[in-house]
């Protein structure tokens, strides 16, 4: 990566950090302040929109510094879907459309982060460990979804939204497992795998709080959950965007032929 591009990426990351600090302060000050502050939501929302655009820009400027040409195409597709999903959540009265778009985002992340997984598992001598990891993860995911259904069923009247959220919960769980497997199986270079794994952890924490903000009654806990969403969402997008770059001395740290 040229020094000029490094500087440009650093500037983008600096603005993401500053804007993130800005919307965190705007979201949380009315909650933690002793005084009743009236802060217009439009300022916080504007900062969040710019953060999403900047993370998308990180993907589109990677050029020859991308992990691979095929990976760059997939990352562009993913972040275009992210933009559509965020727009749908704001533009429609129901969150169903936005959640469906985010389901496609997670599906694309699963395909992207699982490249070469089957071949590595087949060639790995410790197949029982991999099989146990997969079975245990499926069991945990199933238990999570069943509890999610029970909680939502007690709080929600919109059965369509309930169904969509449960399906999305499964997609997020699968995407998180894929990201972790990506790191354990060394499908990407180590730096990229760490970013993928951390990015999906933040994404999952973000979605948990989205779900809570939708199903909980009005009150302090719901407000806190709503304000936590973007604390996790901004670093999730940033880490996933950065995971598409090729870093120094990482070419031989993975099964890069699958990328």
């Amino acid at each position: 990566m040229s020094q000029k591009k490094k500087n440009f990426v650093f500037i983008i990351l600096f603005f993401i950090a500053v804007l993130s600090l800005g919307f965190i302060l705007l979201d949380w000050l009315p909650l933690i302040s002793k005084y009743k502050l009236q802060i217009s939501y439009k300022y916080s929302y504007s900062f969040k929109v710019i953060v999403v655009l900047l993370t998308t820009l990180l993907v589109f400027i990677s050029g020859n510094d991308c992990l691979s040409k095929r990976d760059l195409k997939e990352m562009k597709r993913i972040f275009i879907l992210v933009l559509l999903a965020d727009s749908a959540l704001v533009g429609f009265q129901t969150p169903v459309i936005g959640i469906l778009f985010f389901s496609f985002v997670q599906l694309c992340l699963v395909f992207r982060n699982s490249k070469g997984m089957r071949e590595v598992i087949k060639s790995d001598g410790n197949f029982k460990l991999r099989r146990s990891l997969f079975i245990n993860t499926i069991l945990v995911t199933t238990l999570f979804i069943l509890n999610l259904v029970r909680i939502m069923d007690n709080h929600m009247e919109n059965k369509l939204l309930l169904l969509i959220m449960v399906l999305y919960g499964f997609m997020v769980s699968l995407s998180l497992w894929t990201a972790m497997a990506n790191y354990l199986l060394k499908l990407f270079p180590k730096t990229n795998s760490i970013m993928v794994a951390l990015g999906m952890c933040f994404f999952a924490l973000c979605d948990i709080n989205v779900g809570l903000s939708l199903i909980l009654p009005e009150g302090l806990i719901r407000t806190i959950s709503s304000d936590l969403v973007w604390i996790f969402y901004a670093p999730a997008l940033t880490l996933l965007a950065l995971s598409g770059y090729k870093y120094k001395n990482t070419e031989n740290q993975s099964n890069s032929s699958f990328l």
Side-chain angles (χ1 to χ4, degrees), residues 112-125:
R112 183 246 181 175
N113 296 330
S114 64
K115 285 290 188 299
M117 184 181 295
R118 180 181 301 177
E119 289 81 357
V120 173
I121 291 177
K122 285 182 177 179
S123 63
D124 196 310

Side-chain angles (χ1 to χ4, degrees), residues 25-228:
L25 289 174
L26 291 173
D27 288 346
W28 286 85
L29 274 178
L31 185 64
I32 64 178
S33 176
K34 295 180 181 179
Y35 309 98
K36 292 184 177 180
L37 299 177
Q38 297 294 328
I39 300 177
S40 176
Y41 176 73
K42 67 181 180 180
Y43 299 114
S44 174
Y45 174 73
S46 299
F47 288 173
K48 293 168 183 175
V49 169
I50 297 173
V51 165
V52 176
L53 292 175
L54 287 175
T55 55
T56 304
L57 181 61
L58 279 175
V59 172
F60 277 78
I61 66 168
S62 59
N64 293 328
D65 300 302
C66 64
L67 202 54
S68 72
K69 295 300 182 182
R70 183 167 67 173
D71 186 67
L72 177 57
K73 289 181 180 179
E74 292 179 339
M75 289 297 290
K76 286 181 178 180
R77 187 183 305 117
I78 288 168
F79 273 79
I80 288 173
L81 284 171
V82 167
L83 290 174
L84 292 174
D86 283 326
S87 300
L89 284 175
V90 176
F92 292 90
Q93 292 183 345
T94 174
V96 169
I97 305 299
I99 296 173
L100 284 174
F101 270 113
F102 271 114
S103 297
F104 286 115
V105 169
Q106 298 300 338
L107 183 62
C108 290
L109 283 170
V110 168
F111 285 125
R112 183 246 181 175
N113 296 330
S114 64
K115 285 290 188 299
M117 184 181 295
R118 180 181 301 177
E119 289 81 357
V120 173
I121 291 177
K122 285 182 177 179
S123 63
D124 196 310
N126 198 354
F127 178 73
K128 290 184 179 180
L129 176 62
R130 305 306 179 198
R131 184 177 60 183
S132 297
L133 174 62
F134 180 77
I135 293 173
N136 290 339
T137 306
I138 292 296
L139 290 174
V140 171
T141 302
T142 303
L143 182 63
F144 168 77
I145 292 176
L146 290 174
N147 279 280
L148 190 65
V149 170
R150 182 178 60 83
I151 293 171
M152 288 182 176
D153 199 35
N154 291 336
H155 292 88
M156 296 177 61
E157 296 180 358
N158 190 333
K159 300 302 179 183
L160 175 61
L161 181 58
L162 169 62
L163 176 61
I164 297 298
M165 289 181 69
V166 170
L167 290 174
Y168 180 70
F170 173 76
M171 291 302 304
V172 172
S173 300
L174 179 60
S175 187
L176 178 60
W177 179 86
T178 303
M180 295 303 175
N182 181 295
Y183 173 74
L184 292 173
L185 299 174
K186 302 178 181 179
L187 300 182
F188 286 4
K190 185 175 181 180
T191 301
N192 303 78
S193 289
I194 291 173
M195 289 180 174
V196 167
L198 286 177
M200 274 312 305
C201 284
F202 281 122
F203 218 129
L205 289 171
C206 161
D207 288 328
I208 288 171
N209 283 284
V210 170
L212 290 173
S213 66
L214 287 173
I215 67 175
L216 290 175
E218 292 287 347
L220 178 62
I221 303 300
R222 179 174 178 175
T223 301
I224 292 175
S225 294
S226 180
D227 290 342
L228 282 172

